[in-house]
């Protein structure tokens, strides 16, 4: 009866994602591990099922192994308003790629991820412009999803 003690996450909606994160946090709190991001991430790793499991396994190990990063990735992938049935097509994507298309408008929302061959860390285009007077108005790089610029886009025909 492991499912009685371990929540299962299928990746069906943003509401399910919020509930899942809450349940994992409650379990970690209950066993005194809430401040242990590695234990919590390992506990959560056994909870992913179906399309959520496929998404989870596509994440970089640095995201999978740290609960803080994993929470951010879950909320970025399964944002409020996301429902699996609203997808027009399932397209394999790397971790934290564009969110699912909105079936009513054909527009998509997501974040721009930046990577370098010589650096395993994940970066994003920041929503904050440089405050340095020598670089005023220049785009900055963010290291967390929370600081990342969220963009909305669609095809030229769909506008």
């Amino acid at each position: 009866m492991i499912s009685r003690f371990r929540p299962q996450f299928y990746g069906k909606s943003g509401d399910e994602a919020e509930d899942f994160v809450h349940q994992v946090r409650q379990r970690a709190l209950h066993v005194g591990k809430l401040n242990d991001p590695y234990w919590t991430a390992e506990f959560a790793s056994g909870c992913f099922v179906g399309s959520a499991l496929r998404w989870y396994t596509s994440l970089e190990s640095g995201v999978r192994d740290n609960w803080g990063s994993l929470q951010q990735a879950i909320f970025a992938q399964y944002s409020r308003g996301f429902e699996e049935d609203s997808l027009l097509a399932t397209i394999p994507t790397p971790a934290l790629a564009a969110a699912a298309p909105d079936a009513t408008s054909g527009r998509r929302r997501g974040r721009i991820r930046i990577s370098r061959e010589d650096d395993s860390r994940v970066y994003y285009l920041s929503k904050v412009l440089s405050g340095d007077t020598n670089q005023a108005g220049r785009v900055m790089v963010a290291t967390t999803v929370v600081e990342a610029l969220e963009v909305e886009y669609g095809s030229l025909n769909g506008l």
Side-chain angles (χ1 to χ4, degrees), residues 33 84 151:
K33 297 286 189 176
E84 188 176 61
V151 294

Side-chain angles (χ1 to χ4, degrees), residues 58-70:
S58 74
L59 295 173
E60 294 178 7
S61 62
V63 175
R64 286 192 316 261
D65 298 340
N66 181 292
W67 177 241
S69 298
L70 183 55

Side-chain angles (χ1 to χ4, degrees), residues 108-124:
R108 297 176 181 221
R109 293 175 62 164
R111 292 162 185 83
I112 299 173
R113 182 174 162 184
I114 302 168
S115 62
R116 292 176 37 177
E117 288 182 18
D118 62 339
D119 191 346
S120 63
R121 292 176 290 186
V122 177
Y123 301 97
Y124 303 92

Side-chain angles (χ1 to χ4, degrees), residues 82-140:
F82 169 86
E83 289 188 31
E84 188 176 61
D85 293 339
S86 70
L87 294 176
L88 294 175
T90 302
I91 302 169
T93 56
L96 301 175
D102 180 346
T104 58
S105 70
R107 300 186 60 76
R108 297 176 181 221
R109 293 175 62 164
R111 292 162 185 83
I112 299 173
R113 182 174 162 184
I114 302 168
S115 62
R116 292 176 37 177
E117 288 182 18
D118 62 339
D119 191 346
S120 63
R121 292 176 290 186
V122 177
Y123 301 97
Y124 303 92
L125 199 58
S126 175
K127 60 184 169 186
V128 178
L129 295 178
S130 174
D132 183 344
T133 55
N134 294 331
Q135 299 181 9
R138 290 194 178 189
V139 176
M140 302 291 292

Side-chain angles (χ1 to χ4, degrees), residues 4 8 15 18 24 27 62 76 110 115 135 159:
R4 181 174 158 200
Q8 292 186 327
D15 290 338
E18 289 179 11
V24 170
R27 177 67 175 158
S115 62
Q135 299 181 9
L159 291 177

Side-chain angles (χ1 to χ4, degrees), residues 9-24 67 71 73-80 82:
F9 180 61
Y10 293 88
K12 299 286 185 188
S13 70
D15 290 338
E16 182 197 10
E18 289 179 11
D19 186 50
F20 171 69
V21 168
H22 175 74
Q23 289 180 43
V24 170
W67 177 241
Q71 282 182 107
I74 291 168
F75 288 139
Q77 180 69 18
Y78 304 101
S79 59
R80 279 199 174 145
F82 169 86

